[in-house]
Every structure is written in C-alpha cells, then in structure tokens.
Amino acid sequence: MTDVTLRPEIYREPMSQEKFGIVEKPLTLFERLYNQNWLRKLFMLIVIAVCWETYARWLDNELLVPTFSATVRALVHGIASGVILTRAALSIKVLLMGFSAGVFIAAVLTFLAINTRLGNDFLETMTAMFNPLPAIALLPLALIWFGLGTGSLVFVLIHSVLWAVALNTHAGFRSVSTTHRMVGQNYGLRGIHFVMKILIPAAFPSILAGLKIGWAFAWRTLIAAELVFGTTSGQGGLGWYIFEAKNLLDIPEVFAGLLSIILIGLFIENVVFRLIEARTIGRWGMQN
Amino acid sequence: MGRVGNTLPVVEVRGVTLQYKTSDRLITATYRVDFNVLRSDRFVLLGPSGCGKSTLLKAIGGYMRPTEGSIHVNGRDVTRPGPDRMMVFQEFDQLLPWKTVLQNVMFPLVTSGKFEWAAAREKALGLIAKVNLAKFADSYPHTLSGGMKQRVAIARGMAMEPDVLLMDEPFAALDALTRGRMQDELLALWDEIKFTVIFVTHSIPEAVKIGNRILLLTPHPGQVKAEINSVPRGKSETTASVELGQKIHAMLFADAIEDTRHD
C-alpha cells in the first residue's frame, strides 16, 4: 500500500438554474433610493434645517439666531439685489489672482527642486519653515508692506497656496515610478519636455491633492482676511459683507453671507474638483 | 538610419564591465562581456538571478555607462537612452496610464519626430491589430489584463521600428498559460517582420524557444560562459530542444550553486 488513502472519484451534474430560488432579483425602490449617497445627505440637511427653524422660533431672538426661513429670505434678497453676487465675484477674483500666482511660483520652485540639489534643499527648507505658519498670521506684516487693499490679500493668498502645492507636487514627482521615468527617457524626452509629458501626468494625483488643499487654505484665509478690511475702499468681498452686516446688527444677512461662503466652497470642492478628478485620474485608474 | 549589411553587427558589445553603487557597496554586475547581435537575431541573454543580464540590457538601452569596454548600436556609441533602442520592461506599469492604448503606441512615434500624426496613427493601429488588440485601441491601460498590457508594450516597441528591440523578462510576471501564448505570438510577429531583438530571461525553456542565439552568463559578476545556437525555429517542441535545455542546465549549474544575495 502507498501512504495515501485511496478514495473513489466523484462526478456530479450541476443543478439547472430554474431550481434555485433567486439567481438575480432587482432591489426594492426604497433600497435603491437608500443607496443613493446624495439622497441620504439631502435628507440629513432637511432634518438639520427643520431643527434650526424650530429652535430659532422657540428662542425668538433674531439677534442671536435668526430662523432658517429668515436666513433664506436674506440670501434670496441678497442674490436678487445682486449684492451677494458682486461681493462673491470680488472675493473669487482676488482668490484666483492669489491662487494662480501661488501655483505659478510653486511650479517654478518645484522645477528647480527636481533639477538641482540646491533647489531641492531650498524647497524642503522653505516648506518645512512656512507650511506650519498660518497665512492669516502674516496679514499684519502684509498690511505694513502692501497697505490696505488687494496687494495684501494676494500676498497672504500666495503664502497659503504656495507651500501646500509645492510640497505635494514635489512629493508626487519623487514618487513617479522608475519604469515611467525609464520609458520617458527611452523616448528621448529631456528637461522641460520630460517634466510636461511624463512627470506632471504621472504625479497628477498628488498635484491635484495639493491644488485642493491649496484652494481650501486660500478660501478660508481670504474670508478671514476680508473680515479685517475690504479689498478696495468701500468695496469688499464676502468676508467684508459679513462684517458690515454684523455692524448693522442684520444677523440674518450675516447668516446669509456664511451660507453663501459654504455654498461656494461646496461647489468648488464637490463639483469643480470632482469633475477634474473624474476626467483625469478617475479615467486613468490612478485614483487611490 | 542607413541600412547596414548583414555581416556587420547591429549591436556590438566589447569587453563591457558594469558596476553600480548601492547605498553601502559597489557591485560589479558584469565583467568583460563580449558579444555581437546580427540583423534579425533573436538574441537571448540567459543566466540565473544576479548574473547582471538586466543590467547589461540597461547599459545597451543607454541607462548606464560601462566602466570598461564599449557598446555600439549600428556603429554609434551608446551614450544615452533613445528611441532607436526601444525597451519592453517586465513591469505592467510601463504603459502610461493617462493615455489610451492607441495614444500609448503613438506617443513615441510622434514625440521622436519620426512620424507625422496621421502616419503615426495608422502605423500604431496596424501594430495594435497585429497584437490582436484592435478592439481595445481606445481603452485605458488600467482596464487591461497583464498579458494585454505586455502586448501593447511590444506593439509600442515595434511601431518605432527600432534598430534593436530590448526586452527585459517581458513575460516573467505572467501566468504560465499566458506566457506560452505570448511567446508564440512574439515568434509569429518575428516571422512576419524579422525584427532584431535582445531578450533577457532566466528561464531555460523560454531561452530555447525564443532565441536563435543564446548567451549564457555566470552569476555574480556576470561573465560569458558560452554563446550557443538554439534549435531551429519551429523545432522548439522536439527532443533536440529538451537536450539543448539539459546541456544549458548542466553548463549553468556546473559550479556548486552559491547562494548569492542580490537586490
């Protein structure tokens, strides 16, 4: 005898499909609706709005907490009269100026950093120093250097965008796989062409993450800075709108200002960046 | 690129010693290696892990300079990577994920200035069809299987019509069934186009099947042990190929097997 036990062989006929209870069955309408992310979130928002409305009515003090409906009325009125829109446009204009300047400087610094050792040391030291420094802390200094106005705002915005974007882009470039680098070199790509055609797309997930963080920092910094002063004499962005409304004790308008800041932030983060993500790293299968 | 007569080697490797540094030591990968690759050769570099065959291929690709000796491709000294020596890597991530299959194959054609856009597209589509991926021309690489990605990489390499195609264990990461089919497809393509290829592998059966000429390298550092002819094309399933495999095996493992560490 061998040391394995001999057993009979087994052959079976698989059951035909009809004999199973359920092979495939559509989910109920409720299950399908419950699976929709946005629907669940919308439901949550409605609950919150109802709680807000009830509490504010019970409190009955518009100077502390205006009702949800009063806030919506103030918001609708602000949009209809064009005040909120012009203020928002002003904020976004300044934001874009600061944001694009910051991204441009970040691009230059990162390009130097990947090509020279000195540039690398410079970028690493500067990001280590300035990344933990909140941009708003530089505002007093900016006011002395650039005075009341757009210059100061752009300065703090650049500071808030630059380090986050540079840090992420640089990290992204360094983590581009050896194989992709070798493929690029194989095609004879060098210098700026290598950066544009291989490094940037290969590092795009990190770059996009950097842009998102930079945008978030910049938006928060801008609103905070605007609370201190308007962009130009008499004219200001959304932050200034809130500050003015508070001085006039028009609290529903303060809430309307806050709400529009939230709405714009949500739109950029959840629509604009989500769309860019879906069109690029999502389609390329590079999203982690 | 001027045509070179059959007698002149396409790739000429003369006394090449390759050394590279890791963080704590200097490693000699190959020592004074000589060989010639002729037009339409399927030249296989065969040896166990740590014999420096991949390093040698990278040197021909222009990714590193020899510390001693010289490498010439069609008479030109190799100094840097270039599209006249297209590489096919082992890694599945060698395709650029932000480009479709078609764009991946077209990219080097256009970037190197060898083809106009329309001509490049036509050329690329032709080769994609040759590797049986016509249906996937507009797919992104992450939707393809490992074997399909390697076929795209091969199409990309051949579309450039390089002086020599450099393949670095391109099938090593595939499952055995796919690997066998890929080897057959590669040989069928060779029958059609008769391209020159240097193929690195550590598998003796693969070397016997793919190559017409096999260079055996000893491990650590790699030195030439033998340069032999393989069995004729189409006879890879015969006893001759089995005997050749046994002969190679005996030669490679003639010396006591050392447990060499490498990274």
Side-chain angles (χ1 to χ4, degrees):
Chain A
M1 272 300 272
T2 51
D3 43 4
V4 293
T5 323
L6 275 176
R7 280 155 296 178
E9 291 177 348
I10 300 168
Y11 299 95
R12 277 188 180 172
E13 207 54 48
M15 271 198 290
S16 72
Q17 253 192 23
E18 301 87 65
K19 296 200 174 150
F20 291 92
I22 298 170
V23 179
E24 227 181 282
K25 172 176 162 264
L27 299 175
T28 61
L29 183 67
F30 176 75
E31 278 175 311
R32 267 181 291 163
L33 290 178
Y34 190 71
N35 280 340
Q36 295 290 323
N37 242 329
W38 63 271
L39 211 63
R40 289 202 310 273
K41 283 181 183 159
L42 186 72
F43 175 71
M44 212 130 72
L45 285 177
I46 292 171
V47 170
I48 291 171
V50 169
C51 290
W52 174 1
E53 182 75 28
T54 327
Y55 176 71
R57 272 169 198 250
W58 174 76
L59 194 68
D60 196 24
N61 183 348
E62 206 178 65
L63 283 181
L64 279 181
V65 183
T67 58
F68 176 69
S69 46
T71 304
V72 172
R73 265 200 306 279
L75 184 68
V76 170
H77 177 256
I79 292 174
S81 67
V83 180
I84 286 187
L85 290 183
T86 39
R87 297 303 175 89
L90 256 170
S91 284
I92 289 174
K93 199 181 113 196
V94 177
L95 182 78
L96 285 179
M97 281 162 66
F99 190 73
S100 42
V103 169
F104 176 75
I105 301 173
V108 173
L109 283 185
T110 324
F111 183 74
L112 290 178
I114 50 163
N115 281 307
T116 64
R117 193 179 271 198
L118 220 56
N120 184 42
D121 293 346
F122 177 75
L123 184 66
E124 275 179 5
T125 318
M126 294 312 260
T127 42
M129 267 170 63
F130 286 123
N131 204 30
L133 183 67
I136 201 73
L138 285 177
L139 193 62
L141 203 57
L143 288 177
I144 295 175
W145 287 348
F146 302 101
L148 282 171
T150 318
S152 292
L153 287 177
V154 170
F155 176 78
V156 290
L157 283 181
I158 289 177
H159 176 85
S160 68
V161 171
L162 172 57
W163 309 114
V165 174
L167 197 68
N168 272 277
T169 309
H170 191 223
F173 281 176
R174 278 156 47 130
S175 64
V176 172
S177 78
T178 320
T179 318
H180 284 161
R181 287 171 192 277
M182 287 174 81
V183 166
Q185 290 168 335
N186 197 184
Y187 298 171
L189 294 171
R190 276 199 302 275
I192 189 82
H193 291 287
F194 186 73
V195 174
M196 300 296 289
K197 289 177 174 170
I198 302 291
L199 289 187
I200 289 182
F204 204 69
S206 305
I207 295 175
L208 199 60
L211 290 176
K212 275 160 81 174
I213 297 171
W215 149 264
F217 279 179
W219 184 233
R220 287 150 184 73
T221 304
L222 176 69
I223 300 299
E226 278 180 352
L227 283 173
V228 180
F229 66 95
T231 37
T232 44
S233 49
Q235 275 283 333
L238 280 173
W240 189 241
Y241 172 83
I242 292 174
F243 191 72
E244 277 181 333
K246 180 227 130 197
N247 282 348
L248 298 172
L249 289 180
D250 194 343
I251 306 305
E253 256 187 48
V254 173
F255 272 71
L258 292 175
L259 214 55
S260 31
I261 290 168
I262 293 175
L263 288 177
I264 294 173
L266 278 180
F267 175 75
I268 304 281
E269 277 163 39
N270 288 316
V271 178
V272 176
F273 277 114
R274 199 60 73 74
L275 206 69
I276 297 176
E277 240 169 37
R279 287 282 167 84
T280 54
I281 56 180
R283 183 179 293 176
W284 306 337
M286 288 167 89
Q287 206 155 21
N288 30 14
Chain B
M1 247 146 267
R3 287 243 149 196
V4 179
N6 273 337
T7 46
L8 277 176
V10 177
V11 180
E12 205 178 349
V13 174
R14 283 284 151 270
V16 165
T17 300
L18 294 169
Q19 291 178 325
Y20 61 89
K21 281 181 188 152
T22 66
S23 54
D24 58 345
R25 62 189 78 190
L26 177 73
I27 291 171
T28 302
T30 66
Y31 185 71
R32 293 191 178 161
V33 172
D34 291 285
F35 63 87
N36 286 332
V37 177
L38 303 184
R39 178 159 296 282
S40 295
D41 259 348
R42 288 168 279 125
F43 198 95
V44 173
L45 304 181
L46 175 66
S49 299
C51 72
K53 53 196 187 305
S54 279
T55 316
L56 195 55
L57 195 75
K58 287 198 176 79
I60 299 170
Y63 294 102
M64 62 187 296
R65 306 280 331 246
T67 23
E68 189 186 3
S70 67
I71 301 172
H72 287 89
V73 172
N74 273 345
R76 281 168 288 114
D77 196 17
V78 169
T79 54
R80 60 165 73 119
D84 56 330
R85 285 152 285 135
M86 289 294 283
M87 292 273 292
V88 177
F89 299 91
Q90 175 182 341
E91 291 82 8
F92 293 155
D93 75 343
Q94 62 185 298
L95 301 180
L96 306 177
W98 57 92
K99 289 179 182 294
T100 62
V101 167
L102 177 63
Q103 288 164 345
N104 257 294
V105 179
M106 278 177 68
F107 184 45
L109 303 179
V110 176
T111 309
S112 64
K114 196 165 175 172
F115 291 90
E116 292 295 316
W117 194 86
R121 187 184 152 81
E122 199 176 318
K123 179 97 192 154
L125 282 174
L127 266 144
I128 291 168
K130 272 206 175 67
V131 295
N132 304 319
L133 286 175
K135 267 191 282 178
F136 297 92
D138 293 321
S139 304
Y140 282 91
H142 71 102
T143 61
L144 305 181
S145 70
M148 288 155 90
K149 286 179 190 167
Q150 296 308 79
R151 281 178 4 222
V152 178
I154 292 169
R156 173 173 76 179
M158 294 210 298
M160 272 304 284
E161 298 173 353
D163 294 350
V164 58
L165 190 64
L166 307 175
M167 304 183 88
D168 188 4
E169 307 201 36
F171 308 145
L174 296 170
D175 64 275
L177 289 173
T178 315
R179 189 184 312 143
R181 214 176 58 224
M182 296 285 293
Q183 290 164 349
D184 293 334
E185 283 183 18
L186 183 71
L187 288 171
L189 276 170
W190 183 86
D191 287 337
E192 202 174 326
I193 307 175
K194 300 282 195 293
F195 51 92
T196 315
V197 56
I198 302 180
F199 190 103
V200 166
T201 181
H202 60 253
S203 150
I204 296 174
E206 186 168 67
V208 172
K209 185 171 174 184
I210 295 284
N212 67 318
R213 187 89 172 157
I214 302 172
L215 188 79
L216 299 185
L217 292 165
T218 60
H220 219 343
Q223 296 180 68
V224 175
K225 175 98 178 174
E227 191 183 323
I228 56 178
N229 290 320
S230 186
V231 292
R233 171 87 182 86
K235 296 248 170 69
S236 55
E237 310 287 318
T238 61
T239 46
S241 76
V242 176
E243 278 163 16
L244 180 64
Q246 280 162 353
K247 181 176 140 192
I248 293 172
H249 192 273
M251 264 195 282
L252 281 180
F253 297 104
D255 319 309
I257 300 164
E258 284 176 72
D259 204 354
T260 48
R261 220 171 59 85
H262 74 107
D263 19 29

